[in-house]
Amino acid sequence: MQNPQILAALQERLDGLNGSPSGYMESLPKIVKRRVNALKNLQVKCAHIEAKFYEEVHELERKYAALYQPLFDKRSDIVKAAYEPTDEECEWKADEEEELTVSKQDEMKEKAKLEEEKKDEEKEDPKGIPEFWLTVFKNVDLLSDMLQEHDEPILKHLQDIKVKFSDPGEPMSFTLEFHFEPNDFFTNTMLTKTYKMRSEPDESDPFSFDGPEIMCCTGCTIEWTKGKNVTLKTIKKKQKHKGRGTVRTVTKTVPNDSFFNFFTPPEVPENGELDEDSEAVLAADFEIGHFIRERIVPRAVLYFTGEAIEDDDDDYDEEGEEADDEEGEEEADEENDPEYDPKKDAAPPAECKQQ
């Protein structure tokens, strides 16, 4: 079982068996199949009860969001320098692993004092926590992949991100609000992205229900200052006249990669059918919206410091890397074996499977 080729073949075989019906159902008498249908009807009723459960969870989220909001508002005030925390509020007891010896602490305090005095001579103290949300975005791979260099000067003006849940009795949804201070790039003080969700089983496929799912999302219109729209770029192309052979230069405006494309997602047609590219964009969009709502907004300071990222990394083990190492060692052993014949032991090429 140490041969990687055998393991790969076995894994492929297991993948093929995973989730495949045993054929037992087809062999059952009609009277038993009839009873199985009764069980399936019970399962549908379970799905509807589960949907009600998630609706109540949404109501709880809405209730507790109101309790969290004063804390998030104070966080925002500290970040944008509207409030200066007291000495007591700034006290933070480090973990035992982070605690230093008294002498080391004194040394660091003295060094920090000298650095502060030097900074005071050079410039005034910074206000609030500069580039707080930009740093959060840059620390999270899912968000940093969206950022372009021309986005960063704009996101320095981002002061807060809030989550607003739909009111009682309204269809389930949530809205992300991005609050900006006045800037030279656009006149909006707030950009929004709303995600509409559904928490009920699909009548055509009730067994696929696995909790609320995002059905669609809508962005907002960004009122760009002239010449500041980073979602568009101007390119020049040379065109040659077919008859005369003359060449002219044509200027065209084309879409440009930018985080701010997040606010103009693809529209979902009434029939719900999308091309593959639009489906991929929307799938990524839903993941990002959910991540901002569930992780970024509630734990922003920990993504700013990087502590939340370390916690996220702890969720993954390194089994894959160990497997790679073992495979490398096995290949090395085979190469050192005088009786090893690569042509004889080579496995046939595996077929690509469509996901």
Side-chain angles (χ1 to χ4, degrees):
M1 294 300 289
Q2 294 299 314
N3 190 320
Q5 295 169 354
I6 295 176
L7 290 173
L10 178 59
Q11 184 62 53
E12 185 177 354
R13 177 66 175 166
L14 291 173
D15 290 342
L17 294 174
N18 186 31
S20 59
S22 64
Y24 180 66
M25 263 296 295
E26 287 72 14
S27 67
L28 293 175
K30 286 185 178 180
I31 187 65
V32 178
K33 290 181 180 179
R34 181 172 173 273
R35 294 168 190 147
V36 171
N37 288 338
L39 297 184
K40 291 169 74 174
N41 284 324
L42 291 175
Q43 190 64 43
V44 171
K45 291 179 180 180
C46 287
H48 285 282
I49 293 175
E50 187 179 5
K52 292 294 182 184
F53 165 78
Y54 283 113
E55 287 176 7
E56 293 194 23
V57 168
H58 184 72
E59 289 301 311
L60 277 175
E61 284 184 315
R62 195 173 55 79
K63 172 186 174 182
Y64 279 88
L67 300 178
Y68 287 128
Q69 197 54 52
L71 302 177
F72 294 157
D73 288 342
K74 194 166 189 177
R75 176 182 70 188
S76 177
D77 288 341
I78 293 173
V79 167
K80 64 185 181 183
Y83 172 77
E84 184 62 35
T86 64
D87 290 342
E88 183 179 356
E89 290 173 320
C90 293
E91 282 293 327
W92 179 257
K93 188 179 184 309
D95 294 336
E96 291 183 5
E97 294 179 0
E98 299 173 355
E99 291 180 354
L100 304 172
T101 61
V102 176
S103 59
K104 188 68 174 177
Q105 287 179 344
D106 292 341
E107 180 184 338
M108 292 186 67
K109 284 181 181 178
E110 186 64 28
K111 184 177 180 181
K113 184 179 179 182
L114 292 173
E115 290 179 355
E116 286 296 325
E117 290 176 355
K118 185 177 180 181
K119 287 182 180 178
D120 289 342
E121 294 175 1
E122 295 176 353
K123 60 179 181 180
E124 297 180 1
D125 289 338
K127 302 298 182 184
I129 304 180
E131 303 182 18
F132 178 82
W133 289 102
L134 172 59
T135 303
V136 170
F137 277 40
K138 292 172 75 172
N139 281 347
V140 179
D141 290 343
L142 187 64
L143 301 177
S144 64
D145 289 344
M146 303 168 63
L147 294 185
Q148 306 297 320
E149 188 174 347
H150 48 251
D151 293 325
E152 295 188 14
I154 309 175
L155 289 171
K156 289 180 180 180
H157 298 284
L158 179 59
Q159 294 184 315
D160 199 11
I161 304 177
K162 296 181 179 180
V163 180
K164 298 292 185 182
F165 293 94
S166 54
D167 293 329
E170 292 185 354
M172 190 183 294
S173 68
F174 68 92
T175 300
L176 301 177
E177 297 179 351
F178 295 73
H179 294 261
F180 288 83
E181 65 181 352
N183 60 79
D184 297 332
F185 299 93
F186 45 71
T187 57
N188 312 63
T189 56
M190 180 176 71
L191 302 180
T192 61
K193 185 73 169 287
T194 299
Y195 292 86
K196 296 180 181 179
M197 300 183 291
R198 181 179 69 180
S199 182
E200 58 185 21
D202 187 341
E203 292 183 4
S204 62
D205 186 17
F207 303 132
S208 66
F209 181 73
D210 191 28
E213 58 179 336
I214 296 175
M215 300 304 296
C216 65
C217 58
T218 54
C220 65
T221 301
I222 302 178
E223 304 294 341
W224 293 100
T225 305
K226 187 177 180 180
K228 298 288 187 177
N229 188 346
V230 295
T231 65
L232 298 174
K233 64 181 178 181
T234 302
I235 61 171
K236 293 182 179 181
K237 295 182 69 177
K238 291 184 178 181
Q239 293 182 342
K240 187 176 181 180
H241 193 281
K242 294 181 179 179
R244 296 191 296 269
T246 56
V247 178
R248 67 173 182 174
T249 301
V250 178
T251 301
K252 294 180 65 177
T253 300
V254 297
N256 191 27
D257 289 337
S258 169
F259 164 77
F260 291 91
N261 290 321
F262 178 70
F263 298 98
T264 53
E267 293 185 7
V268 180
E270 292 184 2
N271 60 11
E273 295 181 3
L274 292 167
D275 57 57
E276 290 185 6
D277 290 342
S278 296
E279 281 187 356
V281 170
L282 277 181
D285 189 296
F286 293 170
E287 181 182 0
I288 292 164
H290 184 75
F291 189 82
I292 292 174
R293 167 195 160 182
E294 293 285 332
R295 307 297 291 272
I296 298 297
V297 172
R299 310 177 70 199
V301 65
L302 301 181
Y303 283 99
F304 176 79
T305 62
E307 293 165 87
I309 301 163
E310 294 172 2
D311 291 342
D312 289 345
D313 290 342
D314 290 341
D315 293 339
Y316 298 91
D317 54 35
E318 298 182 357
E319 290 182 0
E321 293 182 7
E322 292 174 1
D324 290 343
D325 292 342
E326 290 174 2
E327 183 175 341
E329 292 173 3
E330 181 66 29
E331 288 175 359
D333 291 341
E334 289 173 342
E335 289 174 0
N336 293 329
D337 186 352
E339 297 180 3
Y340 171 64
D341 184 354
K343 294 182 180 179
K344 180 179 179 181
D345 291 344
E351 295 181 358
C352 295
K353 293 186 178 180
Q354 187 71 27
Q355 298 293 330

